[in-house]
Amino acid sequence: MTKSPTDENLREEFNRWADAGKGETMEHDHWPITKPALGLMQIEPDHNILDAGCGAGWLSRILAQRVPQGRVVGMDISDEMIHHAREASVSHENLVFVVGSVDEIPWEANFFTRVISVESSYYWPDPLKGLREIHRVLAEAGSAWILINYYRDNPYCHQWGERLAVPTKLLSAAEWETLFRDAGFMEVAHRLIPDPTPNPAVYTGRWFRDAKELAAFRAIGALLVYGNK
Ligand SMILES: C[S@@+](CC[C@H](N)C(=O)[O-])C[C@H]1O[C@@H](n2cnc3c(N)ncnc32)[C@H](O)[C@@H]1O
């Protein structure tokens, strides 16, 4: 893979996240919205699944257990995330991790029955190129599922862009759907997945102004965009 300066920035930033242990802690924040998404994906035991932007691999391991006769590939642009993912996954025989960018997925065409990507696609330098690549590696009748908390229709996340150290894309559900169609997907649709996590009385983090704003953000929920090949 030839690395562009943008890819290199992403690699360095998410390597820092990996070193700080964030790859593992994201499971706590992302599982409550990912679980309902998996319920919609109609995963069969013999499916081959790509987890694009897999981070430290917690979702890839859950998926590997759900496809005992299939195979899961976790891919991430951060080699440190992949290092963490591999170390935590040695007991999973049907799971491999590869370093790679969604711009140029290091896998053969028409292989995967499902592709999922959680909280990653708004970092992709060229989302259309990434979606075209996902379309390429999907088998006929396979489906792609992109889940994000940062999108234009939820006003409570807009301030994240300026707080993140790498450029992001704040697109609407309609814009993501258009990208899916332009990439060749059919039966494209979206839905919102409210986050059922109980809200704290007081919020002290840096992503929301206060607990009320966090609760409003979670009530609107994450954006799930999907389509078929
Ligand atoms: C917020 S983390 C989410 C990780 C994981 N999906 C999770 O839910 O814990 C975003 C991940 O996307 C990866 N990523 C960002 N841009 C990427 C790209 N162009 N290609 C592949 N991975 C990318 C990052 O390295 C990072 O691990």
Side-chain angles (χ1 to χ4, degrees):
M1 181 178 75
T2 329
K3 282 219 181 73
S4 67
T6 326
D7 278 0
E8 194 50 37
N9 284 348
L10 284 168
R11 188 185 80 84
E12 285 173 5
E13 174 62 5
F14 285 105
N15 276 354
R16 279 190 283 272
W17 285 39
D19 289 343
K22 289 192 193 173
E24 288 74 19
T25 56
M26 282 189 281
E27 176 172 7
H28 175 265
D29 291 335
H30 299 169
W31 177 237
I33 50 168
T34 305
K35 193 176 174 195
L38 295 191
L40 297 167
M41 285 172 64
Q42 299 183 314
I43 294 170
E44 301 290 340
D46 62 349
H47 275 175
N48 293 322
I49 307 181
L50 172 66
D51 181 6
C54 65
W58 59 269
L59 175 58
S60 305
R61 289 187 288 280
I62 290 172
L63 291 168
Q65 282 172 343
R66 296 204 180 180
V67 295
Q69 293 128 46
R71 190 164 171 193
V72 174
V73 177
M75 182 196 73
D76 202 283
I77 202 163
S78 155
D79 47 311
E80 276 303 318
M81 284 289 188
I82 292 298
H83 180 68
H84 282 232
R86 284 187 181 137
E87 283 209 322
S89 308
V90 280
S91 59
H92 294 261
E93 285 178 1
N94 61 339
L95 170 58
V96 292
F97 290 98
V98 293
V99 177
S101 167
V102 77
D103 274 5
E104 202 178 337
I105 299 174
W107 212 266
E108 69 200 70
N110 307 311
F111 181 83
F112 297 101
T113 28
R114 297 284 181 274
V115 176
I116 184 166
S117 179
V118 174
E119 278 292 88
S120 178
S121 58
Y122 53 83
Y123 294 108
W124 300 349
D126 186 342
L128 178 58
K129 196 170 175 191
L131 288 170
R132 284 200 174 119
E133 269 293 273
I134 287 174
H135 191 270
R136 178 184 69 80
V137 298
L138 265 175
E140 286 304 317
S143 56
W145 304 74
I146 278 175
L147 182 65
I148 44 175
N149 264 324
Y150 179 72
Y151 63 102
R152 191 166 291 282
D153 314 276
N154 190 337
Y156 301 104
C157 66
H158 288 195
Q159 72 281 9
W160 295 5
E162 65 207 28
R163 293 180 200 171
L164 287 159
V166 281
T168 52
K169 303 234 164 13
L170 186 62
L171 305 182
S172 65
E175 286 170 326
W176 277 109
E177 282 196 0
T178 300
L179 288 171
F180 263 68
R181 289 191 191 95
D182 289 350
F185 286 96
M186 298 179 298
E187 291 103 31
V188 176
H190 78 269
R191 69 166 74 190
L192 301 186
I193 301 193
D195 185 338
T197 308
N199 291 302
V202 178
Y203 176 76
T204 53
R206 61 190 285 254
W207 302 104
F208 302 97
R209 227 183 355 230
D210 51 30
K212 210 170 140 199
E213 204 178 76
L214 168 62
F217 163 82
R218 285 178 170 161
I220 294 175
L223 172 67
L224 179 69
V225 189
Y226 48 97
N228 297 331
K229 179 164 175 178

